[in-house]
Amino acid sequence: MSLRLRAGLITTAVIGAGAVILTQGAAFAASPASPASPASRAPNSHHSPAPASSLRALASQVGLRIGTAIDTDALATQSDYRSIAATQFSTVTPENVMKWDAVEPTQGTYNWAPADQLVAFAQQNGQLVRGHTLVWHNQLPAWLTAAAPSMSPDQLRAILKKHIVDEATHFRGKIWQWDVVNEAFNDDGTLRDSIWLQKLGPGYIADAFRWAHQADPKALLFYNDYNIEFTGPKSDAAYALARDLKAQGVPIDGVGFQTHLDTQYPLPDLQNNLQRFSDLGLKVAETEVDVRTTLPVTAVEQNAQVGGYTSTLQACLAVRSCISYTVWGFGDAYSWVPATFPGEGAAAIYDENLQPKPEYTALQQTLALAAGAPGRADPRR
Ligand code: G3I
């Protein structure tokens, strides 16, 4: 199919949906929060008025779920944030409110309310939820961090099992993908020296998947990590883990590639890497995409950011078992990056004022091109 014909298809598809008229060269000018008629609703957006040019409507044409991490404080207080969250994305991930310190701040006393509110928001807007995360070394409740070193392995194992079973049971039937275990490896491919490894040994990973599956048999269970986008020892270690878990019959369904990129570093060979995990019979997902850079952003850096978003989305689109592409927050004002990497930022697809950036347009155009390309029309999920 020629480029010209492909472009024609995209124009027809979008105009046919009745929401946006494209002009050559100015295609996909973003209208992220604008209202649209019911006729413009995408197949997987039954409850919210998503414009046909929205990321979620375009992604649904190629059977891809497009998601974002959600800052639930912003969701509760800012209507423009809420509007973009509802209309642009077909999955949401709680950025913090399903983590252990948030759900069980005092031992035995659960606070599900913020996460329940996000799940309700997702249901109202026809969105799926990525649960994040059941087992991690970070954001543990203070009571656990204080007590764990003096606990016996049996005690700690019972506490971990209770946490996983209670949380997965609370949300049973409402979570599409769970990040069951998060960031278990160091960059050199050795297992991270967490309290879990120290006390329970490497078997805690398989146990966590088994317990999560018992509690919510229909959820897709993922191992999730950063820097495994890049080929090398860490990616190889995650690959070996996934392969071994599958071989042992442990209920793992997929691997999440966080994909926190920085313009200082080369882009990963993500497509081939996703494909080799896929060849194990697993689903894959990009779960926390952002592309940070040094501030202030130069034109060269912004081009690199656009390239980062474009190429990571293209990689997911090229691998059939890549079921979702999630950005780690959509607005620069809410990004975790400036607090963690001083002097860096601008990592998101909307600016500080929630205006769409060229990075947003790059995702839009990449999805639209995929919808017009041969072999991409069958919804995968
Ligand atoms: O909960 C306290 C709150 O009580 C207090 O009022 C507030 C004051 O600043 O701090 C709150 O805790 C913060 C928490 O986010 C909730 O807002 C922590 O200080 C802050 O460190 C924490 O940062 C989160 C970080 O994980 C923690 O590691 C980021 O928002 C979140 O984006 C980030 O997400 C991780 C993924 O879960 C895993 N992959 C990497 C990714 C980026 O680091």
Side-chain angles (χ1 to χ4, degrees):
M1 183 179 293
S2 72
L3 196 60
R4 190 186 159 121
L5 184 51
R6 224 186 277 166
L9 275 179
I10 296 161
T11 305
T12 305
V14 175
I15 291 174
V20 177
I21 295 178
L22 303 176
T23 54
Q24 223 174 359
F28 308 106
S31 55
S34 60
S37 69
S40 69
R41 287 178 185 165
N44 64 4
S45 59
H46 305 297
H47 306 270
S48 66
S53 61
S54 66
L55 299 180
R56 68 181 289 177
L58 293 166
S60 79
Q61 293 184 35
V62 288
L64 180 71
R65 290 279 176 166
I66 188 140
T68 181
I70 293 287
D71 177 331
T72 49
D73 291 338
L75 194 72
T77 57
Q78 293 173 39
S79 60
D80 49 353
Y81 182 98
R82 204 159 46 242
S83 172
I84 293 171
T87 56
Q88 293 295 325
F89 302 99
S90 50
T91 77
V92 290
T93 307
E95 185 171 359
N96 286 299
V97 295
M98 283 189 192
K99 292 171 178 173
W100 198 339
D101 65 348
V103 299
E104 195 181 4
T106 304
Q107 188 170 15
T109 304
Y110 289 115
N111 177 21
W112 304 117
D116 284 347
Q117 284 160 18
L118 178 58
V119 170
F121 174 86
Q123 291 175 341
Q124 283 157 18
N125 291 293
Q127 296 166 317
L128 299 178
V129 179
R130 292 198 83 260
H132 177 85
T133 173
L134 293 171
V135 186
W136 196 21
H137 61 279
N138 211 348
Q139 284 175 287
L140 295 171
W143 60 263
L144 177 61
T145 309
S150 57
M151 283 183 195
S152 71
D154 283 351
Q155 284 174 317
L156 190 63
R157 190 177 146 85
I159 283 177
L160 180 62
K161 180 177 182 181
K162 179 171 164 43
H163 163 67
I164 292 171
V165 169
D166 285 357
E167 180 151 11
T169 300
H170 178 82
F171 293 109
R172 179 165 50 214
K174 297 173 179 169
I175 302 293
W176 179 39
Q177 305 172 24
W178 259 121
D179 286 334
V180 177
V181 177
N182 192 44
E183 302 176 3
F185 289 107
N186 297 309
D187 280 347
D188 68 1
T190 57
L191 279 172
R192 184 187 293 276
D193 190 27
S194 66
I195 190 73
W196 312 120
L197 184 70
Q198 288 167 12
K199 292 265 176 175
L200 309 181
Y204 82 86
I205 297 175
D207 284 341
F209 279 91
R210 292 191 185 102
W211 294 330
H213 182 67
Q214 283 165 20
D216 188 354
K218 291 192 178 156
L220 296 175
L221 304 185
F222 273 65
Y223 175 76
N224 189 54
D225 214 330
Y226 62 88
N227 280 352
I228 60 170
E229 306 81 38
F230 297 90
T231 46
K234 187 170 190 176
S235 177
D236 289 350
Y239 178 85
L241 171 74
R243 181 197 61 208
D244 293 350
L245 292 177
K246 283 284 281 182
Q248 294 159 20
V250 175
I252 181 172
D253 298 293
V255 173
F257 296 71
Q258 293 185 7
T259 321
H260 293 292
L261 302 183
D262 186 324
T263 59
Q264 297 177 63
Y265 307 115
L267 292 170
D269 180 14
L270 193 48
Q271 182 182 334
N272 285 325
N273 207 11
L274 294 175
Q275 188 62 54
R276 70 174 177 150
F277 283 79
S278 169
D279 291 344
L280 291 172
L282 293 166
K283 300 182 190 312
V284 292
E286 291 177 50
T287 55
E288 305 184 12
V289 182
D290 53 18
V291 188
R292 61 186 182 269
T293 194
T294 50
L295 300 174
V297 185
T298 65
V300 169
E301 286 168 332
Q302 184 154 65
N303 278 338
Q305 291 178 295
V306 164
Y309 276 103
T310 303
S311 65
T312 53
L313 179 56
Q314 284 173 337
C316 185
L317 289 165
V319 175
R320 200 158 183 81
S321 63
C322 186
I323 58 174
S324 59
Y325 179 96
T326 298
V327 294
W328 201 242
F330 54 83
D332 282 338
Y334 313 92
S335 170
W336 66 290
V337 167
T340 307
F341 299 95
E344 292 190 69
I349 61 175
Y350 287 77
D351 70 13
E352 299 273 343
N353 300 312
L354 288 180
Q355 296 304 304
K357 293 160 56 178
E359 290 87 333
Y360 170 92
T361 311
L363 294 184
Q364 220 182 10
Q365 290 175 330
T366 302
L367 290 169
L369 283 167
R376 299 303 316 175
D378 298 336
R380 287 168 294 171
R381 198 164 165 108

